[in-house]
Amino acid sequence: AAMIVQQYAAGMTEAGIIPVYKHFPGLGSENIDSHEVIPRIDKADDELYSEDILPFRAGIESGIPCIMMSNAIYPQLDRKEPACFSSHIIKDILRGELGFEGVIMTDAQDVPAIRDAYTEEDAIIKAISAGCDIILMPRDPQKAVYVIEKAVSSGIISEEQINESAGRIISLKLASGIWNEE
């Protein structure tokens, strides 16, 4: 499966499309719609690493540029937070252990699963604090910008973290040719 994913991503890149691997650390075994309800993926660590995380690891080794986080909870990795809000899953596992240096985005944040469980402000701050670079489909994009600005000015989120995220996003746009410096 990992080889097929790599070949598909290579084809997308060749066609001028930025491939995004999703939903880290994996939703393959889930049979409910994670847009409607926040699922719990009750797999042992070794199962997650040998099955779900395996294609991501292979993709990272081949240089994938972007990963979308899952809205599911993985109790073996983080008992409380969904992956998209988990500093341990994003910073310790994805960035640290797996060495991913590309852009990390949330799954859609305007879906009932997130909307019913978190305020818009909490979802935005949790995702960015955990290490996400992009909030996908915030409920109100202008409000999201305001929430981020307010969180930075009050010290909840560091300006350095925002600058690092912006740098990754700009680098991806430049590398993919969708934006140039002129």
Side-chain angles (χ1 to χ4, degrees), residues 18-132:
I18 298 171
V20 178
Y21 278 40
K22 63 179 199 169
H23 297 88
F24 189 84
L27 276 179
S29 62
E30 191 50 54
N31 60 5
I32 64 170
D33 185 353
S34 64
H35 293 121
E36 297 298 321
V37 178
I38 296 175
R40 293 177 62 86
I41 310 294
D42 285 308
K43 283 187 164 185
D45 277 4
D46 60 339
E47 243 186 315
L48 282 168
Y49 278 88
S50 65
E51 295 173 8
D52 299 64
I53 294 176
L54 186 65
F56 292 98
R57 184 184 301 273
I60 291 166
E61 289 170 3
S62 69
I64 61 165
C66 191
I67 292 178
M68 179 184 290
M69 298 305 297
S70 166
N71 283 341
I73 294 175
Y74 300 80
Q76 297 303 320
L77 303 177
D78 188 320
R79 294 194 177 282
K80 183 180 173 196
E81 298 290 356
C84 62
F85 301 151
S86 172
S87 180
H88 174 65
I89 293 173
I90 295 171
K91 291 179 181 176
D92 298 337
I93 297 173
L94 185 53
R95 290 248 188 249
E97 191 177 317
L98 300 177
F100 182 64
E101 296 178 358
V103 173
I104 297 174
M105 66 172 49
T106 67
D107 195 353
Q109 296 293 290
D110 65 347
V111 296
I114 298 298
R115 210 174 46 233
D116 294 348
Y118 299 90
T119 67
E120 184 172 17
E121 294 82 4
D122 282 347
I124 291 165
I125 290 170
K126 282 178 173 289
I128 292 177
S129 295
C132 288

